[in-house]
Structure formats: C-alpha cells, structure tokens
Amino acid sequence: AQLEMQKVNFSLRECNKELIRSLKELPSVSANMLKIHRDLNDLVELLLSSLDDYRRGSLGTLTNHININNIDKAAKSALADKKKLLGEMNQKLKHDECCHTQSISESLNEINEIQRNLLEIQNGAPEVHKIVKAKTESLFQSFRQKEISLESEICMFQAL
C-alpha cells in the first residue's frame, strides 16, 4: 500500500518534470498550452483511477497507511503549478499579440505615408516636368549661343 502511494507520488513528480522539460523544448505558446491541457487530463485520469481503486478497496491496506490529504495536496500543488505556468504563458501570448498588433499598425502607417508621398510625387510630376523642360530649353539655347560664338571665333582665326 505504501508502495502504491509512492508510485502515485512518483508519477505526479515525473509528470511535472516532463511538463517542465517539454515546455522548455517547445517554446511555442500554443504547443505549450496543448501540452499543459494533455498533462492536466492525464493527472485527472490518474487521480480518478486511484480514487476508484481506493473506493473498491483494491489497494489493500492502503486505506490504513495512505493519508488522502497528502495525495490531495500533491495534486493541488501540481495543478497550481500548471495553472501558474498557464497564466504566465497567457500573459506572454497577450504581450506577443499586443506587440504584433502594434507592429502591424506601424507597418500600415508606413504604407499610408508611402502612398501619400507617391500621390504627391504623381500629382507634382507634371509641374516638375514643365520646370525641367524649361531649364533644359534654357540650357540648350545658352549652349547654342555659345556654339555660334565659338564658330564665329573659329572663322575669324581661319581668316587670319
């Protein structure tokens, strides 16, 4: 009977150790939450099975040696640990969701700013084109006058 109690206690400890190890191996919040849910179900099944065995008296002298309160305390402690871990994971999930939402909002603001800039450029393009065309024509005329001036100087030097 004491051996059965030790087995139940050992199973609870192993389940808790395995959960902690699994949580470290699975950094995904959703995977961790699924694992916690499965482990909680396994724990409940183990406790219910042990309670049924106890009620049927199949544990022999366990009724004389086991303090039900110890089992209850161990189960409550394991459950509290898992609930605490689940709460921490929920907080992390909410924080990550908030950060993701903020990142999306910032990205949308940047996209809107780029669209506004593009629209300004598109709206200003005809005026910029006119200004560039006018400056180009002015430079062309200036170069043409310089060319005529240089040609006349060349003609004067050739005449000498």
Side-chain angles (χ1 to χ4, degrees), residues 3-81:
L3 182 61
E4 288 295 323
M5 174 62 178
Q6 289 174 347
K7 285 181 182 179
V8 170
N9 195 12
F10 178 76
S11 292
L12 286 173
R13 276 194 228 136
E14 287 301 311
C15 184
N16 199 31
K17 285 179 187 176
E18 184 179 324
L19 174 65
I20 291 171
R21 182 181 52 76
S22 294
L23 291 174
K24 288 180 181 176
E25 290 174 1
L26 300 171
S28 165
V29 173
S30 59
N32 284 339
M33 292 176 78
L34 182 62
K35 175 69 176 154
I36 287 173
H37 182 67
R38 273 191 257 137
D39 287 348
L40 284 173
N41 286 340
D42 292 346
L43 177 61
V44 168
E45 287 177 24
L46 176 65
L47 291 174
L48 289 174
S49 174
S50 297
L51 184 60
D52 287 343
D53 289 345
Y54 174 73
R55 287 180 180 156
R56 283 181 288 167
S58 64
L59 296 178
T61 58
L62 182 63
T63 57
N64 296 331
H65 294 90
I66 296 179
N67 182 349
I68 298 299
N69 289 334
N70 288 341
I71 293 175
D72 189 46
K73 285 180 185 177
K76 285 181 181 177
S77 175
L79 185 61
D81 289 345

Side-chain angles (χ1 to χ4, degrees), residues 49-137:
S49 174
S50 297
L51 184 60
D52 287 343
D53 289 345
Y54 174 73
R55 287 180 180 156
R56 283 181 288 167
S58 64
L59 296 178
T61 58
L62 182 63
T63 57
N64 296 331
H65 294 90
I66 296 179
N67 182 349
I68 298 299
N69 289 334
N70 288 341
I71 293 175
D72 189 46
K73 285 180 185 177
K76 285 181 181 177
S77 175
L79 185 61
D81 289 345
K82 291 178 190 307
K83 283 183 177 180
K84 179 182 176 188
L85 186 57
L86 185 61
E88 290 170 359
M89 290 171 53
N90 278 333
Q91 285 180 336
K92 182 175 180 350
L93 181 63
K94 286 178 183 176
H95 177 265
D96 290 349
E97 183 180 353
C98 181
C99 290
H100 180 69
T101 302
Q102 183 179 1
S103 175
I104 288 174
S105 176
E106 289 172 359
S107 295
L108 288 174
N109 288 339
E110 288 178 20
I111 289 170
N112 287 336
E113 181 66 26
I114 290 169
Q115 286 175 337
R116 279 192 301 273
N117 289 342
L118 181 60
L119 188 58
E120 287 175 9
I121 290 170
Q122 288 173 341
N123 289 339
E127 277 201 30
V128 170
H129 180 66
K130 289 177 186 175
I131 293 170
V132 170
K133 184 177 178 183
K135 286 185 178 183
T136 304
E137 288 175 2

